Amino acid sequence: MPCYKIDGVTPVVHPSAYVHPTAVLIGDVIIGAQCYVGPAACLRGDFGRIIMEEGANIQDTCVVHGFPQSSTIIRRHGHIGHGAVLHGCIIGEDTLIGMNAVVMDGADIGAESIVSASSFIKNRFTCPPRSMVMGTPGVIKRQVTDDELRWKQLGTQQYIELSRRCLNSLVECLPLNAEEPDRQSFVDTGHRPKI
């Protein structure tokens, strides 16, 4: 993976975490145990610190950054969907940030909350635990249900397992010219979109 030290500060990646080779880590980035960082994600710790706590995931094409002296923190089992942007904010434990959502400076998203896809969370927005946040700008719509939280937790567990799978078996290869007979498929975990 492209990993860069700046002003003497080097990223830290726990041995049980997986960072895709196309993800970029710069400077003051600390990635904890069992974390997953997806393809083309950019974690730029060249002004502020970025912390991923145990079991957190940042998916494909996410951008994480912050102003000087700020910290962008993704608490334990935080789940950051494809294309999201986090800037100088705190994502609570077991919280889901939906695809293409933007969470701005000083925002503090409470534990076990869900920020819906494509939401825009303004500077200094705060919400209590288990909030369902939607819209542009984001507003609290209601409480997250037990069923929704279980669904989120199952998805996060799949990313913890994906980090293990990638560490154990992901290798760069050339594509085949044709599909082989009896092509394998992945095990069906039963996890589906919440409709």
Side-chain angles (χ1 to χ4, degrees):
M1 91 198 87
C3 184
Y4 302 95
K5 176 190 293 191
I6 185 168
D7 297 336
V9 180
T10 305
V12 176
V13 178
H14 191 278
S16 66
Y18 176 78
V19 180
H20 191 273
T22 62
V24 178
L25 306 181
I26 300 172
D28 198 359
V29 176
I30 302 167
I31 298 176
Q34 299 182 321
C35 288
Y36 173 88
V37 178
C42 180
L43 286 69
R44 261 185 62 210
D46 49 11
F47 291 139
R49 176 171 288 175
I50 297 167
I51 300 170
M52 290 181 72
E53 294 182 356
E54 176 188 354
N57 69 78
I58 293 177
Q59 298 170 20
D60 328 32
T61 72
C62 289
V63 175
V64 184
H65 194 241
F67 283 108
Q69 300 301 306
S70 71
S71 291
T72 305
I73 303 170
I74 303 160
R75 299 272 185 223
R76 183 177 180 274
H77 290 187
H79 190 107
I80 313 303
H82 314 289
V85 176
L86 306 180
H87 204 275
C89 56
I90 298 173
I91 306 304
E93 182 171 333
D94 226 2
T95 288
L96 167 66
I97 304 299
M99 291 181 262
N100 292 313
V102 175
V103 184
M104 294 300 294
D105 303 276
D108 190 345
I109 308 301
E112 300 180 343
S113 293
I114 295 175
V115 173
S116 71
S118 297
S119 291
F120 177 79
I121 307 305
K122 292 168 38 171
N123 290 359
R124 294 183 287 285
F125 176 90
T126 61
C127 66
R130 292 198 83 171
S131 296
M132 177 67 75
V133 182
M134 300 174 165
T136 303
V139 294
I140 300 168
K141 294 291 189 177
R142 59 178 174 78
Q143 289 283 293
V144 170
T145 67
D146 290 343
D147 186 51
E148 289 165 334
L149 182 59
R150 277 191 300 274
W151 172 81
K152 181 269 167 208
Q153 291 169 335
L154 177 58
T156 300
Q157 283 303 314
Q158 300 227 344
Y159 272 92
I160 291 171
E161 180 57 30
L162 180 59
S163 68
R164 288 188 203 109
R165 289 171 55 208
C166 290
L167 286 170
N168 291 330
S169 70
L170 185 73
V171 293
E172 190 170 356
C173 66
L174 294 173
L176 300 172
N177 293 326
E179 183 179 339
E180 66 270 56
D182 301 322
R183 182 177 176 85
Q184 277 186 275
S185 188
F186 297 110
V187 174
D188 183 0
T189 63
H191 191 62
R192 299 290 186 272
K194 193 83 180 140
I195 299 175

